[in-house]
Amino acid sequence: MTCQLFAICFGASRPLRLAQFWAGVLGWEMVDDPDDGVTLLPSDDTGFRIRFLPSQEPKVAQNRMHFDLTSTSLEDQRQTVDRALALGGQHIDVGQRPEEGHVVLADPEGNEFCVVGPGNSFLADCGFIGALACDGSQEVGYFWSEALGWPLVWDQDQETAIRSPHGGPKITWGGPPVAPKTGKDRLRFDLAPPVQGDRQAEVDRLLSLGAKRIDADQGEAGWVELADPDGNEFSVLTPR
């Protein structure tokens, strides 16, 4: 049995503050995290949690992944933007064009996200978190499709996207050119084998698919840190 995508994990200088921001934007419940952070539990069919763990890694470049939030109308889009700004977000310029129909914001620690306008057919039926949009190669899209057992729902011009068979957000990769990696990723995937699963067997399977081991088991914390073919760090947790 393959690993599940247990969580998207943010490294944060102030985990509670960042969790409060995203809980307010998404309407998700906050709970304590066993690794000295905060976890948000989805209130819809998103299928994964969002974790905020302490980190002193500075943000030195645009993140390689960000959330695309969807809108049902222009008024709904405006309300999401206003709510995010009231909670401590800010407008940013990453070279977006007015005709693209989305608003680019950053959370209180500078992590980028987009509020997409209504009528986006690619994200139809994906929920409020429409996508986790990533800067990445076609190869890494194929890797994550195999790693998670999620089918490819887009594979064109070296752009790829996958989606859980159970629905929820898409994960997309925009293809070349892929921005160079600058330091440790502030956002990463946390994977977990099912309750009766075997973590070492899963680590071995992921390595066979093209992952690289970058750290040993982290003691009692109980995770193994790997990197995908594009060098993005991710963790394999204990079964759950």
Side-chain angles (χ1 to χ4, degrees):
M1 297 177 67
T2 59
C3 278
Q4 61 174 317
L5 177 56
F6 180 74
I8 305 299
C9 185
F10 283 70
S13 60
R14 298 174 63 192
L16 178 59
R17 173 70 184 90
L18 199 57
Q20 289 170 333
F21 171 84
W22 281 103
V25 171
L26 300 175
W28 290 16
E29 177 189 359
M30 289 197 310
V31 297
D32 290 337
D33 189 279
D35 293 312
D36 298 323
V38 184
T39 290
L40 300 188
L41 303 179
S43 58
D44 52 25
D45 68 349
T46 296
F48 54 76
R49 306 171 181 216
I50 303 177
R51 306 176 73 205
F52 302 88
L53 299 185
S55 173
Q56 299 308 312
E57 292 289 334
K59 189 176 191 302
V60 296
Q62 186 173 323
N63 291 336
R64 277 185 161 187
M65 63 174 73
H66 67 267
F67 287 129
D68 282 343
L69 307 182
T70 63
S71 306
T72 58
S73 66
L74 289 174
E75 175 63 16
D76 181 51
Q77 182 185 31
R78 185 188 66 77
Q79 289 178 358
T80 299
V81 171
D82 289 349
R83 184 165 70 252
L85 295 175
L87 289 164
Q90 60 181 328
H91 287 279
I92 58 170
D93 183 359
V94 295
Q96 68 271 26
R97 300 185 299 274
E99 64 270 19
E100 291 175 332
H102 58 259
V103 179
V104 183
L105 303 174
D107 69 20
E109 295 204 3
N111 301 300
E112 306 85 4
F113 65 100
C114 293
V115 184
V116 180
N120 186 301
S121 58
F122 183 70
L123 301 181
D125 303 323
C126 288
F128 185 38
I129 300 180
L132 184 65
C134 306
D135 186 21
S137 64
Q138 183 181 49
E139 178 189 9
V140 88
Y142 292 167
F143 168 83
W144 282 110
S145 177
E146 291 288 335
L148 296 174
W150 291 13
L152 284 161
V153 295
W154 182 264
D155 185 9
Q156 188 171 313
D157 299 327
Q158 299 190 62
E159 298 177 355
T160 52
I162 63 175
R163 191 183 187 196
S164 168
H166 306 295
K170 293 177 177 175
I171 305 178
T172 70
W173 292 271
V178 178
K181 190 165 168 22
T182 55
K184 193 168 185 177
D185 296 323
R186 288 167 63 91
L187 279 77
R188 69 166 194 259
F189 296 148
D190 279 350
L191 309 187
V195 173
Q196 301 301 324
D198 182 329
R199 185 178 63 181
Q200 186 55 55
E202 269 301 291
V203 168
D204 291 343
R205 184 182 70 88
L206 293 164
L207 293 172
S208 75
L209 293 174
K212 305 292 184 185
R213 185 185 290 272
I214 57 175
D215 209 344
D217 188 288
Q218 301 295 302
E220 292 183 2
W223 68 81
V224 176
E225 192 168 29
L226 304 176
D228 68 21
D230 280 356
N232 304 297
E233 301 92 1
F234 67 96
S235 296
V236 184
L237 311 178
T238 55
R240 58 195 69 197

